[in-house]
Amino acid sequence: MNIAHPVMTSDLLERYLNLLGVQGRKPSTDALYELIQAHVVKVPFENVSKLYYKKHLNQQGLPNLEIYLDGIERFNFGGTCYSNNYYLYQLLATLGYQIKLCGANMLNPDVHMVSVVTVEQREYLLDVGYAAPFLTPLPRDLTTDYFIVLGRDKYVLNPQDDQGYSQLELYRDGSLKQSYLVNPLPRQIQEFDHIIEDSYREDSTFMNALLLARFFPSRSLVLHNLTVIESQGTVSKRQILNNRDELVQAAYQYFSIPKELTMDVVKDIGQFNDAWN
């Protein structure tokens, strides 16, 4: 199946790369590794922007690229899986990578979105929208399980099945917490429109929880509702916050998101739900 890749204008491409602090290099394994790490370190997983844009812009789908880049530049926003992974896909397509946008099944089909890229005759899974420490491309040509461990979490990427599907599992404290199955068929962003629209429903996960995650080589910072989790190596430390004022302060302290923006959205959330369920 031939999919027409969206291409960024040269101005937006340059702006995106400048925000990441990388050069627009010819596609290569080294350049891909550099870009993925830069993206994960610079652009957090967070849903403050999702809540804010719904409230003030009546956003019901992906923010456009200019809004997405404005959020990174002005407010230290990032995004959830759809925006982070889609705009990474668009960036790499514009740079000339052989890449495809793919759906991933969880409890329902296509509720997650990833990319699969081929460079120097190897295929990799890219996911900068899973609130996970995937600072490097994940190889798909596996013969045994591929592990990433950080703090209390272990991520396991299994070898492809007979249909070319890849399963990724998240274990927390030794128990399976969540998983997704990547469908390797190339997709177009319009095929996810209804899924993205559903994610803005009043009863959806990220309308009723707060999750912010930043990753660095060997450590991470996660703000999940009223809990701050700092992980390094195989150790995690948890700090329980007393109230939403402390949550707003933590979002500013650890993520540099302006206090007034976080307060504006958290005051509208009722009872916090578990973002990983």
Side-chain angles (χ1 to χ4, degrees), residues 190-255:
Q190 293 81 6
E191 297 177 62
F192 296 90
D193 283 351
H194 67 291
I195 298 291
I196 297 172
E197 184 177 344
D198 281 350
S199 74
Y200 286 90
R201 289 194 334 242
E202 293 300 321
D203 61 346
S204 66
T205 297
F206 287 116
M207 295 292 109
N208 297 279
L210 206 70
L211 180 60
L212 300 87
R214 295 187 68 188
F215 296 94
F216 311 90
S218 79
R219 69 184 183 94
S220 67
L221 291 165
V222 174
L223 175 58
H224 180 220
N225 297 329
L226 294 174
T227 304
V228 177
I229 306 163
E230 298 184 63
S231 299
Q232 186 156 8
T234 59
V235 177
S236 291
K237 296 189 299 182
R238 292 161 56 88
Q239 175 191 355
I240 305 300
L241 305 175
N242 293 308
N243 51 51
R244 298 185 187 213
D245 288 338
E246 291 188 4
L247 184 160
V248 169
Q249 176 60 35
Y252 177 71
Q253 178 181 347
Y254 295 113
F255 295 85

Side-chain angles (χ1 to χ4, degrees), residues 260-271:
E260 63 272 17
L261 301 189
T262 307
M263 178 58 76
D264 186 39
V265 298
V266 299
K267 68 183 182 182
D268 297 331
I269 301 176
Q271 182 177 350

Side-chain angles (χ1 to χ4, degrees), residues 91-142:
L91 173 63
L92 291 173
T94 304
L95 289 171
Y97 282 87
Q98 182 182 340
I99 190 167
K100 52 188 178 180
L101 189 69
C102 297
N105 304 335
M106 298 176 80
L107 293 177
N108 295 302
D110 293 337
V111 294
H112 188 52
M113 177 193 296
V114 299
S115 293
V116 173
V117 64
T118 302
V119 60
E120 296 181 9
Q121 300 182 325
R122 291 196 72 187
E123 194 172 68
Y124 298 92
L125 171 66
L126 308 178
D127 189 352
V128 297
Y130 193 52
F134 300 157
L135 283 89
T136 63
L138 308 181
R140 291 231 310 144
D141 54 349
L142 300 171

